[in-house]
Each structure stands twice: as C-alpha cells, then as structure tokens.
Amino acid sequence: MAEHEEPSEAEQIEVKPRDSPSSLEFDSGTEEERPEPSASAEKAKVFRLFGREKPVHHVLGGGQAANLILWRDKKISAGILVDATAIWVMFEFVGYHLLPLISHGLIISLLMLFLWSKALTFINKSPPHIPEVRIPEDQTVRVALAVRNEINRAFAVLREIALGRGLKKFIIVIAGLYLLSIVGTSLNFLTLLYLLFLALHTVPVLYEKYEDKLDAYAEKGMFELKKRYALFDAKVMSKIPRLPLKEKKMH
C-alpha cells in the first residue's frame, strides 16, 4: 500500500545528521570525495618558537658549528664543554688572568712541538704533520653579514623607540636593559660569558629533543601574555591622552 512505502534514498540522506558516523557507513561515495587534510597543512598549524619554519639544525647554520651545538659528535662537544669549564674555574677560583693563560699555553705548546720536531730530525725521521689552519673567506663573510643585519635591526628598533613609536617594543627593551643591569651587578663579565656559552651549548640540544612539548607550553604562554597585554592596553594605555599629530606642510 502507498501508506507503508519506505522513504526514498534522498529522504533518508536528508533525515540523517550531517556529522553522524552512520552517514559515513551508508554513503560510500561521500567519504572518498572529501579531501583529507594534508600533512603540510597540519604542519603549518603547529606553533613554533620565534615563528621558525625550518629545523633547529638549519636555523643554526647547518654546518660544523651547528653539529657541535646540537651534540652530533658527543665526544667533541663534551670536550669543548669540559675545556670551557676548566678555563672558567682557573679564572674564577685559581686567580688566573686571560693574557698570562694564553701566553703560558702558547709557550708550553710551542716548546713541546719545537723539541719534538728537533728530536725527530735528529733521529732522521720526518717531522710531525701539523695541519695548516686558515679561516675560510666565505664563512667569514656570512658571519659578518649576519652580525651586520642583527646590528642594523637593533638600530632600527632603537630608532622607532626614540621616535615614540611601538609602546610594546619600548616596554620590552626597557625591561631587558633593567634585567641586564641587575645581572651585571651580580655577576662579573667572565661568569656571564661562561653562562652564555653554557646556555648555547645545552639549550638548543634540549629544545631539539623536546621541541613539541616546549612549543606547546610557549604557545600557551604567548596567548596569556597577549591577553594580559590587551587587558593592560584597554585599562591603562587607552586612557592616556594622545596629542594629535600635525601633518607637515609641503613648501
């Protein structure tokens, strides 16, 4: 009978919820036609510190220096860390100074190499092979250009602050300089230099190992910081009267 006719296929599809799992079971063609999110789209949504899009090794230059910082060769990296720690201990606790340490180290090294070469020549053997050390020109130019770009960027930020622009940058720079003054009064320059070296030698490798977790925490921290800054701007900064800027007349 017409009263007991089953609803058509189109009516069944309309009745079913759009996001229900049952609709995926009966509608075989719908799931295939929907484009799945690509891996690149999901990767683009991941928050990374400082807005970086490349791996840490590539950000650090991708050369031998990056290998040392990221402990690709653990023996060499550990040796450099032990040597730097020993030098800091000699300066800080033994009472050595920089120039006497360099002079005494060169005297002992040259004396041992000179006597060794003379001894080998005396017994009719070839002198020791000492590699020729030269600073590569292209790498030196890249480092110099990178340093120049960072200095120019710092000068540009200071100029904007001096012209009364960028309140957020002004607060960050003032807070950073004040924190630096506190650290400078508490630590001497050598200890500060050693702590910077220690941070450079440990923080990148730890960040590379736990970057997903650290980026997630950093994203939450940035969200809280932006929310508090917006609240501060709405309650305090927006109430400060601003003088209208007068346009310069062209003569």
Side-chain angles (χ1 to χ4, degrees):
M1 294 177 64
E3 295 179 356
H4 298 285
E5 288 182 357
E6 295 182 358
S8 63
E9 185 179 357
E11 293 175 350
Q12 290 180 0
I13 295 176
E14 292 177 359
V15 171
K16 291 177 182 178
R18 187 174 182 180
D19 296 333
S20 63
S22 60
S23 63
L24 296 177
E25 295 177 1
F26 291 98
D27 192 3
S28 59
T30 308
E31 187 177 1
E32 296 179 356
E33 293 176 358
R34 291 178 183 175
E36 296 182 356
S38 60
S40 60
E42 293 180 357
K43 187 177 180 182
K45 297 178 181 179
V46 178
F47 176 84
R48 295 298 182 191
L49 274 176
F50 310 112
R52 64 177 183 86
E53 300 178 355
K54 298 178 181 179
V56 180
H57 187 269
H58 193 279
V59 172
L60 294 175
Q64 187 64 27
N67 294 335
L68 292 175
I69 293 174
L70 296 176
W71 292 66
R72 294 293 188 262
D73 192 336
K74 295 183 179 179
K75 292 182 178 180
I76 297 178
S77 298
I80 293 175
L81 182 58
V82 170
D83 291 341
T85 305
I87 292 173
W88 175 73
V89 168
M90 292 180 65
F91 281 140
E92 191 69 19
F93 298 101
V94 179
Y96 252 84
H97 297 283
L98 181 61
L99 288 178
L101 179 64
I102 295 176
S103 301
H104 293 164
L106 289 176
I107 288 172
I108 295 173
S109 301
L110 291 176
L111 182 61
M112 292 178 63
L113 290 174
F114 180 80
L115 294 177
W116 187 20
S117 300
K118 284 297 182 181
L120 291 177
T121 305
F122 182 74
I123 60 177
N124 296 325
K125 288 189 176 182
S126 60
H129 175 69
I130 300 176
E132 185 177 0
V133 179
R134 288 186 179 181
I135 300 176
E137 182 179 358
D138 54 347
Q139 188 173 358
T140 306
V141 171
R142 285 199 301 268
V143 172
L145 290 177
V147 172
R148 186 201 65 175
N149 292 336
E150 293 299 327
I151 293 175
N152 289 337
R153 187 181 303 176
F155 283 156
V157 171
L158 294 177
R159 182 177 181 273
E160 289 184 1
I161 293 175
L163 292 175
R165 306 169 187 169
L167 178 62
K168 186 177 180 180
K169 293 180 180 179
F170 171 75
I171 296 175
I172 292 174
V173 170
I174 293 299
L177 292 175
Y178 181 70
L179 181 62
L180 185 62
S181 65
I182 295 176
V183 173
T185 54
S186 304
L187 304 173
N188 56 30
F189 180 74
L190 180 63
T191 303
L192 182 61
L193 192 64
Y194 173 72
L195 291 177
L196 290 175
F197 171 81
L198 191 63
L200 181 64
H201 214 63
T202 55
V203 171
V205 65
L206 292 175
Y207 172 72
E208 186 185 38
K209 188 176 181 180
Y210 304 104
E211 62 176 336
D212 293 333
K213 295 180 180 180
L214 293 175
D215 286 339
Y217 289 135
E219 184 178 12
K220 294 179 182 178
M222 289 295 295
F223 178 76
E224 284 294 327
L225 185 63
K226 289 180 180 179
K227 185 170 69 173
R228 293 185 181 277
Y229 177 77
L231 185 63
F232 174 77
D233 184 62
K235 289 187 175 181
V236 179
M237 302 309 302
S238 59
K239 296 180 180 179
I240 299 177
R242 299 180 181 179
L243 297 176
L245 297 176
K246 295 181 179 180
E247 297 182 355
K248 295 182 178 180
K249 297 180 178 181
M250 300 296 296
H251 296 285

